[in-house]
Amino acid sequence: MLLVADANLPGFTRLIEVLNAQASTPLEVSTYSERQPPMELLARADALFIRSVTTVDASLLAHAPNLKWLGTATIGTDHVDIPTLKAAGIRFHSCPGVNANAVGDYVLSAVAALSLQNGSLPNGEVAIVGAGNTGTAAGQRLTGLGLNVHYYDPPLVEQGATHVHADWQRVLASQVISCHVPLVTTGKHATHHLFDGRALAAFAAAEQNKMLLNASRGPVIDEQALLTHLRGDSQLQVVLDVWEREPHLREEVVKRVTLATPHIAGHSFAGKLGGSWQLLKKWLTDQGLALQLPSFQRFLQGYAQGQSRPCQAPQAPDWQTLAQWVLQVYDIRQDDQLLRQTGLTATEFDALRRNYAVRAELSQLHLQTGAWAQDENWRKRLTQLTFQIE
């Protein structure tokens, strides 16, 4: 049995070693480093473990006659032709929530960095567009920073959810918008070009220091309309982690947005390691194999990257200190600088993602606090920020 895996799934081969130590017949695994697996591996693959850069459609499956199982270590599934998989009898799994903490950290780092640059926190509402795992994680952290967050999610409203709304005008009237939706090209709740020229003009009108963040899918924002808007006298601050023509970036768009990163919002080390662990656990269950993985926390602790980061906090922090704590763990500005310096071609963009440096999560920040942290409101805010109290 051959398992083929994206080489950018950290810990995958180490987990295979753990399983092979228990197995009577060792599992065979091969990895690939390009966007698509090579045909010689597809021809022999029984199971395929991918990330969002690999497109799975009928043309790929035509080269994989033995494939019976496919897993993507991502929340999104728009890179996978699910109906074709079903028709071929191939079992499929994704990993909803696996990188939610990382994406939440990314959004908070962006807002923290821009707020410090602007000299104040946003005083208007923050609209989270899409109240799934990543949107909820981002909204929770921004609430902990002290912002007034609301969630726009019409599909959830139709399902009876009461913590969300379907008021698009309220979204456009907000001071900050953060996008966390799947790419849906047709239907009542299509998200393709959700932010077109009209929406961008309505959102950016009248108020300075408005922020638009997209860490979901590139085509959610009409990039040409955005470029046209930014060419004008716009005060709009834009943070893009995803791009409409990815991995082919438009240089002028990169130059005009405020913060630009190479689709790494979910690439914390714990999040990527969690994707490997979750997929292998699902595969073992589907195969009915009596092999045991270590617990995820135990597995994470086996890496230096999983260690805590102490921080002295004897006095209650102001918002600037909270923002600086966030940037101490993950500073989005470093990824912005890296992309602008080295990542504007498709090859460079993919290399930045493939060789992305190890990144901690905010939950690894352990505050050594004074009595102020015993206050119920402070404990709630620190929990929302996912900081740990010692």
Side-chain angles (χ1 to χ4, degrees), residues 13-35:
T13 54
R14 186 183 292 195
L15 287 170
I16 293 294
E17 291 173 0
V18 171
L19 296 176
N20 279 341
Q22 308 168 44
S24 56
T25 302
L27 302 169
E28 182 184 0
V29 61
S30 293
T31 61
Y32 66 97
S33 57
E34 301 301 321
R35 284 185 164 249

Side-chain angles (χ1 to χ4, degrees), residues 13 31 58 64 67 74 109 116 176 183-184 237 242 256 269-270 283 290 295 300 310 319 326 341 350 363 368 371 380:
T13 54
T31 61
L67 191 65
T74 59
S109 180
L116 288 171
V176 179
L183 181 59
V184 180
Q237 296 177 306
V242 289
R256 290 186 180 275
F269 185 75
W283 180 80
S295 71
L300 177 60
W319 74 264
V326 170
Q341 290 176 343
D350 282 345
S363 59
Q368 298 170 354
K380 180 178 180 180

Side-chain angles (χ1 to χ4, degrees), residues 33-288:
S33 57
E34 301 301 321
R35 284 185 164 249
Q36 298 297 108
M39 290 185 183
E40 58 269 23
L41 288 182
L42 285 175
R44 300 173 49 227
D46 296 286
L48 182 59
F49 299 76
I50 67 171
R51 292 190 61 81
S52 61
V53 297
T54 297
T55 300
V56 177
D57 53 18
S59 62
L60 181 143
L61 296 181
H63 298 287
N66 301 319
L67 191 65
K68 294 294 184 289
W69 193 97
L70 173 72
T72 180
T74 59
I75 296 173
T77 60
D78 53 273
H79 55 298
V80 177
D81 185 342
I82 297 176
T84 299
L85 287 179
K86 289 182 178 179
I90 298 171
R91 184 166 290 188
F92 172 66
H93 290 286
S94 61
C95 292
V98 69
N99 64 353
N101 287 332
V103 174
D105 291 354
Y106 174 95
V107 170
L108 180 60
S109 180
V111 173
L114 294 182
S115 296
L116 288 171
Q117 175 184 309
N118 297 337
S120 64
L121 285 175
N123 56 18
E125 288 191 315
V126 176
I128 302 296
V129 179
N133 291 303
T134 63
T136 300
Q140 168 192 316
R141 285 158 176 75
L142 293 175
T143 300
L145 187 61
L147 303 182
N148 181 17
V149 174
H150 61 95
Y151 297 88
Y152 172 83
D153 199 317
L156 284 183
V157 171
E158 291 181 355
Q159 295 172 25
T162 58
H163 67 292
V164 296
H165 68 86
D167 186 349
W168 182 240
Q169 294 309 310
R170 184 180 178 187
V171 172
L172 297 180
S174 300
Q175 189 173 359
V176 179
I177 298 176
S178 188
C179 301
H180 301 273
V181 292
L183 181 59
V184 180
T185 57
T186 60
K188 182 179 178 181
H189 300 302
T191 60
H192 182 267
H193 286 186
L194 181 64
F195 287 90
D196 56 13
R198 181 178 299 181
L200 290 169
F203 171 59
E207 190 172 349
Q208 291 186 345
N209 295 334
K210 284 205 168 186
M211 304 178 192
L212 175 63
L213 301 87
N214 188 14
S216 57
R217 289 293 182 262
V220 169
I221 296 178
D222 181 342
E223 216 166 81
Q224 181 58 51
L226 177 64
L227 182 57
T228 299
H229 181 84
L230 294 178
R231 284 171 177 163
D233 185 20
S234 174
Q235 300 297 316
L236 180 62
Q237 296 177 306
V238 180
V239 179
L240 295 184
D241 182 56
V242 289
W243 308 84
E244 187 163 9
R245 303 177 185 179
E246 193 175 309
H248 303 281
L249 274 57
R250 300 175 69 174
E251 184 174 357
E252 186 180 358
V253 176
V254 175
K255 286 183 176 180
R256 290 186 180 275
V257 300
T258 314
L259 293 170
T261 55
H263 200 157
I264 47 73
H267 281 205
S268 71
F269 185 75
K272 293 177 71 176
L273 202 66
S276 301
W277 186 90
Q278 278 195 31
L279 285 185
L280 273 174
K281 189 172 182 64
K282 291 176 179 179
W283 180 80
L284 287 171
T285 299
D286 288 345
Q287 298 301 310

Side-chain angles (χ1 to χ4, degrees), residues 350-373:
D350 282 345
L352 286 177
R353 300 190 75 223
R354 185 169 55 250
N355 303 315
Y356 187 62
V358 168
R359 184 174 118 206
E361 291 188 351
L362 296 183
S363 59
Q364 293 173 238
L365 187 70
H366 286 231
L367 298 176
Q368 298 170 354
T369 66
W372 64 270

Side-chain angles (χ1 to χ4, degrees), residues 321-374:
T321 301
L322 288 175
Q324 289 163 356
W325 286 347
V326 170
L327 297 177
Q328 177 182 321
V329 179
Y330 170 56
D331 191 339
I332 187 177
R333 296 171 297 188
Q334 296 175 0
D335 286 333
D336 170 76
Q337 184 178 28
L338 192 62
L339 176 63
R340 294 180 192 277
Q341 290 176 343
T342 62
L344 297 187
T345 70
T347 300
E348 291 169 329
F349 183 88
D350 282 345
L352 286 177
R353 300 190 75 223
R354 185 169 55 250
N355 303 315
Y356 187 62
V358 168
R359 184 174 118 206
E361 291 188 351
L362 296 183
S363 59
Q364 293 173 238
L365 187 70
H366 286 231
L367 298 176
Q368 298 170 354
T369 66
W372 64 270
Q374 301 306 312

